[in-house]
Every structure is written in structure tokens, then in C-alpha cells.
Amino acid sequence: MKKTSHKNQRVNGEVMRELSRIISMEIKDPRINPMTSVTDVIVTPDLKYCKAFISVLGDKESADETLEGLRNASGYIRRELARSINLRNTPEITFVVDNSIEYGIAMSKKIDEVLGESSSESDMQE
């Protein structure tokens, strides 16, 4: 896999910052959860496409509604992105729900359970 260039990393960071601002401050869609954050952005080197990973605090239904609201507002988001960032091309945005935070929390709980069980077993052996 090709390593990301410094220019592409800067573009990814800037697009991520602006998407976070637009989603949190400018979109007034009631379907979009107020606790929505952009966790990562990947812009193709030709600046035509962008994959935005979002994390939503809440249940799966809330995440699905937020994703639908963002998809419906993608034209507005793209226009605002074009106004705030001076790029040769404004990328077409695809929103993807990022479940890595929930997965990390679940794995952390499982590790804590295993460590708790192993420490209680060692206490019994002594």
C-alpha cells in the first residue's frame, strides 16, 4: 500500500477540521446527533473523493439516523467545504460510521474481566 504524502496528510487534517466544524455548528438537521464527531478523513490524492469516518455517541438507531441526515446534507456540506478550503477540486464526500471506539471499549472491558478473574484465582491458590 502506498504511503500517504505530507501534502495529502495536511489536506486530510484540514478537511477533517472543517467537516467537524460544519457538522457541529452549521447543520441544523434534527436527525443528526449532537454528539457526532469526525474521527478520520481520507482524501484521494486527486482530491476527487473523500471518505469521512464519523463516530456517534448513542445506540445504533441514532447512528443510522445521523448517517442518513449527513448523506442528505452532503451537497450543503460539500459547498461549505469548498467555501472554507481552497482546493483545486472539492471532494465528493462519503460518510462511514466508525465503530472503533465502541470496539475498543468492549475489548477493554473484556480484558478487565479476564484480569479480574485471573487475580481472584491467584488469591484462591495462595
Side-chain angles (χ1 to χ4, degrees):
M1 191 169 168
K2 186 178 173 188
K3 192 171 149 182
T4 308
S5 69
H6 292 292
K7 177 188 172 204
N8 208 7
Q9 288 176 348
R10 285 195 315 266
V11 170
N12 288 346
E14 188 64 26
V15 169
M16 185 171 144
R17 243 186 323 278
E18 286 301 316
L19 278 179
S20 296
R21 182 188 63 78
I22 292 168
I23 290 171
S24 66
M25 295 183 177
E26 296 188 17
I27 296 180
K28 304 296 183 211
D29 192 335
R31 293 176 292 183
I32 297 175
N33 189 325
M35 295 301 290
T36 300
S37 60
V38 180
T39 57
D40 195 17
V41 169
I42 300 172
V43 180
T44 58
D46 63 357
L47 305 175
K48 296 210 183 237
Y49 301 99
C50 168
K51 189 181 284 189
F53 295 91
I54 59 163
S55 177
V56 181
L57 186 64
D59 58 351
K60 176 146 177 52
E61 182 181 322
S62 175
D64 291 341
E65 286 181 6
T66 299
L67 192 60
E68 184 64 31
L70 289 172
R71 286 181 180 152
N72 286 345
S74 64
Y76 173 78
I77 294 170
R78 187 175 181 194
R79 186 174 64 241
E80 289 300 314
L81 192 63
R83 287 182 183 164
S84 60
I85 299 178
N86 186 18
L87 293 174
R88 184 174 358 125
N89 296 319
T90 303
E92 183 179 324
I93 304 166
T94 304
F95 292 101
V96 179
V97 176
D98 184 11
N99 295 323
S100 63
I101 295 173
E102 290 86 8
Y103 179 76
I105 291 171
M107 292 307 289
S108 178
K109 286 180 183 178
K110 289 179 181 180
I111 291 170
D112 290 342
E113 288 173 8
V114 169
L115 290 177
E117 290 174 4
S118 66
S119 67
S120 64
E121 288 175 5
S122 65
D123 291 341
M124 287 182 194
Q125 292 176 354
E126 291 178 356

